[in-house]
Amino acid sequence: MTPKRRRRRQEAFLPYLLMAPALVLLAGILYPFSVGIYYSFTSYWLQYPKRFRFVWFDNYISLFEEALFDRALQFTLGFTVAAVILQVGLGLAVALFLHGRIPGRAVLRALMLLPLMIPPVITALMWKIMMASTNAGIINYLLSFLGLGPVNWFGSPWGAIASVLIIDTWGNLPFVALILLGALQALPTEPYEAARVDGASPAAMLRYITLPLLSPFLILAGTFRAMDSLRVFDVIYATTMGGPNDATTNLHIMAYQFAFQWYQIGKGMAQAVVLLILVVLVSYLLLRLWNRASERTVQ
Amino acid sequence: MTPRRSLVHIGTALAAAALLFWTVFPFLWILLTSLKSPGDIISVPPTFIFTPTLDNYAALVIGEQRGQYSSTRPDFPNYFLNSIIISGGAVLLSLAAGIPSAYALARFDFPLKGALAFTFMSFRFVPFIAFVIPLYLVYQQLGLYNTYSGLILAYQLITLPFTIWMLRSFFQEIPLEIQEAAKIDGCTWFGVLTRVILPLSMPGLAVTIILGFIFCWNAFNYPLMLAGRQTFPVTVGAIQFISYEQVLWGQMAAATLVSALPQLILSLMVQKYIVRGLTMGAVK
């Protein structure tokens, strides 16, 4: 072998060599994961190890017969739709607002990072303190000035749903707002100048220039939020634990309960796989939409 | 000024005030709560004026029984230390494995490149429970349950894909010409990496480290299932103030602020890059 050829062969192996440490870690992660997928086809129950056997799709079929699964699926999807609409809508409003000439804009922008970057479970605990359902809770006290309440935040089904939604929105609204603000600041100025010459109103410019140009970013922000809302866990765990009466039990919490409260590993994994498929499906559809929207704006 | 314009000004100011209130008030209220005695915390209506006390913070640090300030969770300083050890360890391991990988994905062409990059990205889609159930079982067998090394390995699910994608996007921004010039001067791939790529992407490296640390610090569900009392980080530690008998509101408020403090400082340091980090480089 000539030295040159040997060198070329080394070059061919080099990328794999460079990736070797990460691939070892990847294998270490994928091994338990694939074992987990296998368990979803078995009757693995930690308390009854002797009953372990391969049951094909029994876990998946039994899920769809479970009344709670139906409700958890409904809550998962309903929560996701509500959270995405609320957060993208308000995020757009905040981004448009901060894009204007606002006193103290830089300070507001920096402060908005704080809810975004602190641990979600800590956010949940902060709001748990504020949403105490007695009159000692500050939120109910403030609402009383508006003639509202007192709301039984975590004790009533709708109160619990609302509180999880509010807490999730407080933590993630800045994410959407910052993406959209960045996009707004990078928009081309020519269309606006042309529209101004034509005497277009600000509302018309928003409707016919800003929103179409912004649409890929709206969809992308919505995709990220949908992915996370489908599997929201920390906030629910720290506040309602899925209650009251399972009103805030989503697929993630339900899978957790199956696996770690009742030790039904097989059923818990089947739930996890269903949730994973749901996340992949929704992200795939939204990313396709995003692709189409970005192609349209480039044209 | 016309009346209409001044109305717009007032509206803008009100909206700015509302946004400020919505963002900051929770922090202020928790700060006040953390400075209250148990009696003030449950007063109806809530008080804004009271004699502040540092007892909640003292209970957090010392954890001793002090009359009605009994802390049932005396090891919060330990949780804080655990968070530093686990997050720091996870970031270091991810850097060690991620730098060469990011370099390979940014600067080499090889058959499996796209597939490998996508595989790492795909972790972002998996609900944590799908990883944590099998990890929990494997860790019990291997003795990794409730150990730092077990948690650092599990946290690779958070930091490794992130590190690889972020560093790859930073490495790709370095002009190819500089790299080629270094090669002509006789640099091997290792020389290119250590003398050209890494020094030129120091800001990107710093951002990746800080954001990776923040994401690890924020992790709750992996340690909830894989850690025990000796290795709990602050996120799991803070939730221990809720017990069946009572919620220690004051200490929990103090604990949430202490847990959030590193994030508040770190996120201000990297504010320009946060969106890029949260979208794994998809939005710059």
Side-chain angles (χ1 to χ4, degrees):
Chain A
M1 215 187 293
T2 63
K4 204 174 172 188
R5 263 188 70 192
R6 188 182 302 154
R7 214 172 135 197
R8 199 172 298 151
R9 271 192 66 177
Q10 276 177 354
E11 288 257 302
F13 279 113
L14 186 58
Y16 298 102
L17 197 69
L18 287 169
M19 292 205 69
L23 290 177
V24 169
L25 286 173
L26 180 70
I29 290 161
L30 283 183
Y31 165 70
F33 181 63
S34 31
V35 173
I37 303 282
Y38 165 70
Y39 285 156
S40 77
F41 297 104
T42 69
S43 61
Y44 195 5
W45 192 344
L46 275 185
Q47 278 151 324
Y48 305 99
K50 281 186 184 152
R51 288 197 206 157
F52 186 94
R53 62 195 174 83
F54 197 78
V55 295
W56 295 101
F57 287 92
D58 281 9
N59 288 328
Y60 292 90
I61 295 164
S62 76
L63 276 186
F64 289 94
E65 288 161 357
E66 200 119 14
L68 181 58
F69 177 79
D70 226 35
R71 293 182 57 194
L73 182 65
Q74 273 174 29
F75 176 70
T76 306
L77 294 174
F79 176 81
T80 302
V81 171
V84 169
I85 290 176
L86 192 67
Q87 290 165 17
V88 173
L90 286 175
L92 176 65
V94 170
L96 287 171
F97 178 67
L98 288 181
H99 187 50
R101 275 208 212 139
I102 307 301
R105 183 170 81 174
V107 176
L108 269 175
R109 218 188 120 149
L111 284 173
M112 275 184 19
L113 295 176
L114 305 183
L116 179 61
M117 298 315 282
I118 64 172
V121 64
I122 296 296
T123 304
L125 291 179
M126 285 171 62
W127 283 83
K128 196 183 173 97
I129 293 172
M130 295 196 296
M131 283 175 160
S133 34
T134 59
N135 289 325
I138 185 68
I139 302 277
N140 275 346
Y141 179 65
L142 292 178
L143 284 179
S144 71
F145 289 106
L146 303 173
L148 299 169
V151 179
N152 187 0
W153 286 108
F154 300 114
S156 66
W158 283 108
I161 291 171
S163 58
V164 172
L165 199 57
I166 291 171
I167 298 170
D168 191 64
T169 299
W170 187 74
N172 292 303
L173 182 62
F175 170 72
V176 181
L178 287 175
I179 285 190
L180 297 180
L181 183 59
L184 277 172
Q185 286 170 341
L187 286 186
T189 52
E190 296 87 23
Y192 292 94
E193 282 154 16
R196 211 164 291 133
V197 171
D198 293 345
S201 69
M205 286 199 258
L206 176 67
R207 168 72 185 80
Y208 294 105
I209 303 175
T210 310
L211 286 184
L213 285 175
L214 218 51
S215 62
F217 295 92
L218 287 167
I219 296 170
L220 194 65
T223 307
F224 275 101
R225 287 313 311 138
M227 275 166 64
D228 286 344
S229 307
L230 285 170
R231 345 166 250 198
V232 61
F233 181 86
D234 299 11
V235 170
I236 298 178
Y237 184 93
T239 54
T240 67
M241 263 294 209
N245 201 8
D246 299 320
T248 53
T249 298
N250 64 4
L251 291 180
H252 217 169
I253 292 282
M254 195 181 167
Y256 165 81
Q257 287 172 342
F258 266 101
F260 289 99
Q261 287 181 351
W262 307 317
Y263 298 109
Q264 300 197 16
I265 302 298
K267 282 196 174 182
M269 266 321 287
Q271 294 248 357
V273 172
V274 170
L275 180 57
L276 170 60
I277 292 171
L278 192 65
V279 175
V280 170
L281 203 70
V282 170
S283 328
Y284 172 75
L285 291 176
L286 285 171
L287 285 176
R288 249 180 57 172
L289 207 64
W290 171 67
N291 239 336
R292 226 179 286 162
S294 0
E295 274 166 22
R296 216 180 309 130
T297 42
V298 168
Q299 278 163 9
Chain B
M1 218 187 287
T2 63
R4 201 176 149 190
R5 276 193 77 185
S6 62
L7 259 182
V8 169
H9 277 278
I10 293 171
T12 309
L14 279 179
L19 188 59
L20 188 69
F21 180 79
W22 159 258
T23 309
V24 174
F25 180 75
F27 289 104
L28 288 181
W29 186 253
I30 299 306
L31 178 65
L32 287 182
T33 306
S34 74
L35 297 172
K36 284 178 179 178
S37 64
D40 286 324
I41 287 174
I42 54 166
S43 85
V44 178
T47 56
F48 287 85
I49 298 149
F50 55 92
T51 327
T53 162
L54 286 175
D55 284 354
N56 290 316
Y57 290 91
L60 212 57
V61 177
I62 309 164
E64 60 181 10
Q65 307 281 329
R66 291 172 150 213
Q68 56 184 335
Y69 299 111
S70 67
S71 170
T72 48
R73 315 288 162 192
D75 23 14
F76 204 77
N78 209 5
Y79 298 157
F80 201 85
L81 189 66
N82 289 340
S83 271
I84 295 176
I85 293 174
I86 302 165
S87 308
V91 169
L92 283 182
L93 182 58
S94 279
L95 277 183
I99 288 175
S101 298
Y103 177 49
L105 290 172
R107 283 298 196 244
F108 291 88
D109 270 322
F110 51 102
L112 287 173
K113 179 168 151 168
L116 283 176
F118 179 77
T119 308
F120 281 107
M121 170 69 120
S122 62
F123 290 156
R124 188 76 174 67
F125 296 89
V126 182
F128 88 93
I129 197 86
F131 283 130
V132 89
I133 294 173
L135 274 181
Y136 172 81
L137 298 169
V138 171
Y139 275 21
Q140 297 275 8
Q141 286 171 359
L142 297 180
L144 284 169
Y145 179 79
N146 191 11
T147 62
Y148 290 135
S149 35
L151 288 165
I152 288 172
L153 280 175
Y155 276 37
Q156 295 311 303
L157 287 164
I158 306 168
T159 49
L160 186 61
F162 166 76
T163 306
I164 291 177
W165 274 77
M166 279 295 271
L167 287 182
R168 177 170 116 131
S169 81
F170 282 114
F171 289 173
Q172 278 169 339
E173 283 170 12
I174 297 169
L176 262 178
E177 296 80 45
I178 303 181
Q179 177 183 333
E180 293 312 312
K183 269 189 182 163
I184 290 166
D185 290 345
C187 271
T188 58
W189 66 267
F190 188 74
V192 171
L193 178 61
T194 54
R195 293 197 199 162
V196 180
I197 306 263
L198 286 181
L200 284 176
S201 42
M202 272 304 161
L205 215 53
V207 166
T208 308
I209 291 171
I210 291 173
L211 281 176
F213 190 85
I214 290 178
F215 295 155
C216 287
W217 192 278
N218 289 358
F220 168 71
N221 34 40
Y222 289 108
L224 179 69
M225 259 61 98
L226 302 177
R229 286 196 65 81
Q230 296 81 23
T231 50
F232 277 160
V234 285
T235 44
V236 185
I239 211 164
Q240 310 291 318
F241 292 99
I242 307 167
S243 64
Y244 282 110
E245 312 89 60
Q246 57 171 342
V247 180
L248 298 165
W249 297 109
Q251 289 175 34
M252 192 160 90
T256 57
L257 280 186
V258 172
S259 315
L261 198 63
Q263 312 304 83
L264 304 186
I265 298 163
L266 290 174
S267 57
L268 288 178
M269 283 167 63
V270 291
Q271 46 166 317
K272 268 202 308 194
Y273 295 93
I274 280 176
V275 167
R276 185 167 172 177
L278 286 169
T279 57
M280 286 177 80
V283 178
K284 281 179 190 163

